[in-house]
Amino acid sequence: MIRTNNLRKLYTTEEVETTALNNINLEVKSGEFVAIMGPSGCGKSTLLNLLGLLDNPSDGEYFFIDQEVSKFSERQRANTRKANIGFVFQSFNLIDELTVYENVELPLFYLGVATGERKKRVGEVLEHMQIMHRKNHFPQQLSGGQQQRVAVARALVAKPKLILADEPTGNLDSAHGDEVMKMLTDLNETGTTIVMVTHSPSYAEFAHRIVHLFDGHVVTENFKEKVRI
């Protein structure tokens, strides 16, 4: 599903040029669960942004579902994202003015899905995430764990091939963090490919493989046996 060849990302100002990622070679197969680890500032979130087509690399190649996408325009990136990728963020990124139902429904609006199909899909995913009873609540009326359930539901409603999760447990206590990891594991076991950035060694153990970054480089990769809660 994902293959990068010598992927690089540079940030340039008038005074300095910073190399955020340098010659990243990474492959993620369909159905894998990959955790990305490393110290702050090592390039984890930059890599996730490139994999999620939120930005283009400065150099190198990126193949996503067998298509070279590294030079895509913003419009091309947006269309590919909407059709194939769901995002789960540490800060949830829910819209406070929208209800749970409306937050989850929003990606389907952007995809032009008909009203009846939107209602069906939102209902199914809210039931699956066990959050239907909160559908008319606003994000600020929910606990952190409930908000992350809504965020996962929003990521899933368009039935993406890939979920990118950036520190999805970072704002949660251990009980709610365990709950989110169980949700991601269950999704992966139904065939969804997941790439997750995390600082937590224990949560990284849920993945099939752990990729360690340091100073913009892949330094090690470890294959793991997944754990269950």
Side-chain angles (χ1 to χ4, degrees), residues 120-134:
K120 176 175 178 288
R121 287 205 205 177
V122 174
E124 287 175 349
V125 77
L126 289 177
E127 289 285 3
H128 182 66
M129 289 292 107
Q130 300 177 13
I131 201 74
M132 177 64 89
H133 62 295
R134 300 288 191 183

Side-chain angles (χ1 to χ4, degrees), residues 93-95 98-112 118 122 154 157:
N93 284 12
L94 302 175
I95 298 174
L98 299 181
T99 65
V100 165
Y101 186 98
E102 292 165 340
N103 266 282
V104 175
E105 185 184 31
L106 196 59
L108 301 181
F109 272 116
Y110 293 140
L111 288 171
R118 289 202 310 268
V122 174
R154 182 186 56 191
V157 73

Side-chain angles (χ1 to χ4, degrees), residues 6 12 22 27 43 47-49 54-55 57 66 75 86 115 144 162 176 181 187 191 195:
N6 296 322
T12 304
N22 195 10
E27 185 170 346
L47 178 57
L48 213 65
N49 286 342
L54 296 171
D55 196 4
D66 297 323
R75 181 184 293 273
T115 302
L162 171 68
H176 287 123
M181 291 310 304
L187 290 174
V195 178

Side-chain angles (χ1 to χ4, degrees), residues 121-197:
R121 287 205 205 177
V122 174
E124 287 175 349
V125 77
L126 289 177
E127 289 285 3
H128 182 66
M129 289 292 107
Q130 300 177 13
I131 201 74
M132 177 64 89
H133 62 295
R134 300 288 191 183
K135 70 175 183 176
N136 294 320
H137 287 66
F138 292 93
Q140 297 306 313
Q141 297 174 302
L142 306 178
S143 69
Q146 289 170 334
Q147 288 186 60
Q148 196 60 295
R149 278 183 176 273
V150 177
V152 172
R154 182 186 56 191
L156 289 177
V157 73
K159 301 180 179 179
K161 297 178 178 68
L162 171 68
I163 293 284
L164 298 177
D166 193 356
E167 294 284 359
T169 63
N171 282 338
L172 302 175
D173 60 29
S174 59
H176 287 123
D178 290 349
E179 183 179 296
V180 168
M181 291 310 304
K182 183 179 185 304
M183 283 191 288
L184 292 176
T185 301
D186 290 344
L187 290 174
N188 177 246
E189 290 181 350
T190 63
T192 303
T193 305
I194 296 175
V195 178
M196 176 184 70
V197 163

Side-chain angles (χ1 to χ4, degrees), residues 82-100:
K82 288 188 292 186
N84 297 287
I85 303 173
F87 296 88
V88 180
F89 301 97
Q90 176 179 346
S91 57
F92 316 134
N93 284 12
L94 302 175
I95 298 174
D96 289 340
E97 294 77 17
L98 299 181
T99 65
V100 165

